[in-house]
Amino acid sequence: MATMNFGGVEEKVVTRAEFPLAHAREVLANETIAVLGYGVQGPGQSMNLRDNGFNVIVGQRKGSKSWDKAVADGWVPGETLFELEEACQRGTIIEFLLSDAGQISAWPMVKKHLTPGKALYFSHGFGITYNDRTGIVPPKDVDVIMVAPKGSGTSLRRLFLEGRGLNSSYAIYQDATGKAYDRVIAMGVGVGSGYLFETTFKREVYSDLTGERGTLMGAIQGIFAAQYDTLREHGHTPSEAFNETIEELSQSLLPLVAENGMDWMYANCSTTAQRGALDWWKRFRDAAKPVFEQLYESVKSGNEAQISIDSNSKPDYRVKLEAELKELHDSEMWRTGETVRALRPERN
């Protein structure tokens, strides 16, 4: 583990140079990693572990679309693909990657198979942090660890196939065996992390829920819609409004910001753009900061968790979700986006 300076603050990180893949394989040589769930994180993590040479099995409900997807991805029923309970029985490290609502439902079954010395692995701090609401209280004689990739399972897999990695946070909630640190870092390396930075289950879920509702998804969609609608109301065409709001940002600017930082972007744009950005960014910050404070308090209080638990457990959840997603899909902005994406030149 190394200590690195991030903007003047010292943090602990682990790189693959310090904890190479070969060592991770040694640490987990006698483990069977059971990945429960094949939805958002399950495919990327399980396939990366498999390709990295670990002993991995997948647990999924037979007959589901996710079961069929696992089969298509090369998992063999009866050999590396099992029903959830059998995977729990076989696994020594149980990756609990079901949805938050799915974890609540499956917890009694999973807990039954958490025999002494096993490890319970999460990629999200939700179930443990809000255990007064989820009921997920692990036995004291198992390790409880977390590796949380900072991106979707699709991105984790794509970057792995490109020979790169997606940064992940890691945390140890309970070290019953004395091996929790080696186990969690080996798992982080195995699933394809770029580097690993230390957190806690509580800090992870607070930052994650804030980010999802904020700049990663909720706030960014709100800002897109506000600018797009303003341009349209002032007579700009859908194509012009979309290109100035989203296309230029996503296709040109964000990749450069990711490579070099926003300060570099400011220094390498036109003087007119520089002046405008420098004059306006603090006004947007000051307008948004109170909303983010409200959001963080809602996360910290457990209100956001309870809303998720209540809505996701309703029998008509999927129907209502599809209706809300359809509203986004059918908006002029995103219908325009479909046309714009189709017009992008093919790469040769």
Side-chain angles (χ1 to χ4, degrees):
M1 182 188 296
T3 300
M4 299 191 68
N5 189 299
F6 292 88
V9 178
E10 298 292 330
E11 293 187 44
K12 296 176 181 177
V13 300
V14 181
T15 68
R16 288 185 284 189
E18 303 166 65
F19 203 109
L21 179 59
H23 182 55
R25 290 194 190 112
E26 290 173 4
V27 169
L28 302 181
N30 298 317
E31 305 271 18
T32 297
I33 303 164
V35 178
L36 305 189
Y38 210 74
V40 178
Q41 283 287 334
Q45 292 200 31
S46 60
M47 286 192 286
N48 289 0
L49 284 163
R50 180 179 65 188
D51 290 353
N52 269 333
F54 296 88
N55 182 25
V56 191
I57 62 175
V58 170
Q60 183 57 44
R61 184 168 55 82
K62 193 170 186 179
S64 66
K65 290 181 181 179
S66 295
W67 177 280
D68 295 338
K69 184 180 187 309
V71 172
D73 286 340
W75 302 99
V76 181
E79 294 182 16
T80 55
L81 177 61
F82 303 92
E83 290 273 7
L84 287 165
E85 184 154 13
E86 185 169 356
C88 281
Q89 290 173 325
R90 291 172 175 266
T92 59
I93 297 177
I94 296 175
E95 284 204 43
F96 208 11
L97 299 186
L98 299 172
S99 68
D100 294 327
Q103 287 184 8
I104 294 170
S105 176
W107 175 244
M109 178 272 292
V110 172
K111 185 177 181 180
K112 182 172 62 174
H113 297 291
L114 285 173
T115 51
K118 286 191 176 186
L120 179 62
Y121 168 111
F122 294 86
S123 284
H124 189 25
F126 190 99
I128 292 291
T129 299
Y130 301 114
N131 59 20
D132 58 327
R133 302 165 190 264
T134 65
I136 298 175
V137 180
K140 294 295 185 184
D141 51 11
V142 300
D143 292 342
V144 182
I145 57 179
M146 176 177 65
V147 174
K150 297 299 106 181
S152 70
T154 301
S155 298
L156 183 72
R157 181 63 176 166
R158 186 182 72 247
L159 290 171
F160 175 84
L161 293 174
E162 293 174 0
R164 297 190 289 158
L166 189 65
N167 298 334
S168 301
S169 59
Y170 75 92
I172 299 169
Y173 179 77
Q174 191 167 278
D175 184 2
T177 66
K179 301 184 297 183
Y181 176 80
D182 281 349
R183 273 173 149 176
V184 73
I185 301 301
M187 288 293 296
V189 171
V191 302
S193 301
Y195 74 84
L196 293 141
F197 61 94
E198 189 178 40
T199 189
T200 66
F201 275 64
K202 183 177 288 186
R203 291 208 327 254
E204 190 281 333
V205 76
Y206 286 4
S207 60
D208 190 67
L209 293 186
T210 300
E212 290 168 349
R213 286 149 179 78
T215 60
L216 302 180
M217 295 174 70
I220 198 71
Q221 166 62 18
I223 290 172
F224 283 164
Q227 178 170 305
Y228 181 91
D229 290 348
T230 298
L231 291 173
R232 290 289 287 123
E233 288 160 8
H234 286 273
H236 298 271
T237 66
S239 177
E240 184 170 54
F242 187 87
N243 273 281
E244 292 293 349
T245 300
I246 297 167
E247 189 74 354
E248 185 175 355
L249 174 69
S250 62
Q251 297 302 298
S252 175
L253 302 186
L254 282 181
L256 293 175
V257 172
E259 290 174 14
N260 303 294
M262 186 64 80
D263 56 331
W264 183 94
M265 175 59 64
Y266 277 27
N268 287 274
C269 64
S270 72
T271 54
T272 302
Q274 282 176 355
R275 186 69 267 141
L278 288 168
D279 286 348
W280 277 88
W281 81 263
K282 291 180 181 178
R283 295 171 72 171
F284 281 108
R285 177 200 62 191
D286 294 346
K289 186 64 161 57
V291 181
F292 276 95
E293 289 290 350
Q294 293 169 15
L295 168 57
Y296 193 85
E297 286 305 313
S298 187
V299 170
K300 186 177 178 181
S301 70
N303 184 53
E304 293 299 311
Q306 195 61 53
I307 291 171
S308 296
I309 292 168
D310 291 344
S311 63
N312 295 352
S313 59
K314 290 179 179 177
D316 61 348
Y317 167 70
R318 285 288 169 189
V319 175
K320 290 183 176 179
L321 173 66
E322 290 301 324
E324 290 181 281
L325 293 177
K326 187 175 187 300
E327 180 185 355
L328 272 181
H329 177 269
D330 291 348
S331 68
E332 183 190 89
M333 182 171 71
W334 290 114
R335 283 189 288 113
T336 299
E338 283 187 320
T339 304
V340 170
R341 289 192 296 274
L343 292 172
R344 290 175 189 163
E346 295 290 334
R347 290 182 180 178
N348 295 322

